Amino acid sequence: QELSGDPVGLHIDFWAPVYTVDWVYDADELRYLRDQAGYEHVTSSGEQIKADNIAVVITDIEIIDYVGRRDVQTTGEGEGYVLQDGKVINATWKKPSVSERLRFYDSSDEEIKMNAGVTWIEVVPGEDSIEFIEVE
């Protein structure tokens, strides 16, 4: 998807409107603010959820029963993105085994250094589940 400039946010369609997520970059706070189903997604104390890094893992997700439980591939490697400072970085995620930490690499295969603070990882089944949005 072509973007004309920064800053950039992220829209994720999680199968039903109630689970639709938007991460909007707040240039004043230098953080991303999370909305779900069109409303601020808040903690039990009423504060909106905020993050300094948003990582997107694109992986195989299979529905395994009638209740809708899912089998999610969490080891191996695949395509993804990292959002930092209002920008999108094309990334590859790698997690060689269940005992190793999930890491993200840029197009030069250098590990992406996450900003200090909160990193939120969103796991999606495909590129068609996400859309990058320009924040005005």
Side-chain angles (χ1 to χ4, degrees):
Q1 167 183 352
E2 285 298 313
L3 297 166
S4 63
D6 296 322
V8 172
L10 177 67
H11 173 80
I12 307 170
D13 185 359
F14 280 120
W15 308 289
V18 70
Y19 297 116
T20 298
V21 169
D22 289 297
W23 284 101
V24 177
Y25 185 69
D26 184 319
D28 294 329
E29 282 198 47
L30 304 176
R31 301 183 87 192
Y32 294 89
L33 310 178
R34 193 175 204 266
D35 292 345
Q36 185 169 322
Y39 300 96
E40 289 184 0
H41 191 180
V42 297
T43 64
S44 59
S45 65
E47 290 186 50
Q48 187 171 16
I49 293 174
K50 300 175 183 179
D52 302 282
N53 310 282
I54 308 300
V56 179
V57 170
I58 300 172
T59 190
D60 293 331
I61 300 176
E62 178 184 348
I63 298 173
I64 59 173
D65 63 19
Y66 69 94
V67 182
R69 285 180 271 222
R70 289 165 166 73
D71 181 22
V72 180
Q73 178 188 335
T74 57
T75 56
E77 66 179 69
E79 294 179 25
Y81 298 94
V82 173
L83 282 76
Q84 294 178 324
D85 307 316
K87 296 178 175 34
V88 176
I89 303 167
N90 288 314
T92 299
W93 63 267
K94 297 180 184 181
K95 186 171 177 16
S97 71
V98 294
S99 62
E100 293 184 67
R101 183 170 67 82
L102 175 64
R103 298 173 190 270
F104 293 85
Y105 297 85
D106 65 16
S107 60
S108 300
D109 207 30
E110 295 289 323
E111 185 172 358
I112 298 169
K113 292 179 175 53
M114 298 296 177
N115 290 333
V118 174
T119 297
W120 190 289
I121 299 173
E122 298 283 7
V123 180
V124 300
E127 195 80 37
D128 58 345
S129 297
I130 63 173
E131 178 182 354
F132 298 108
I133 52 176
E134 294 181 50
V135 180
E136 296 182 19

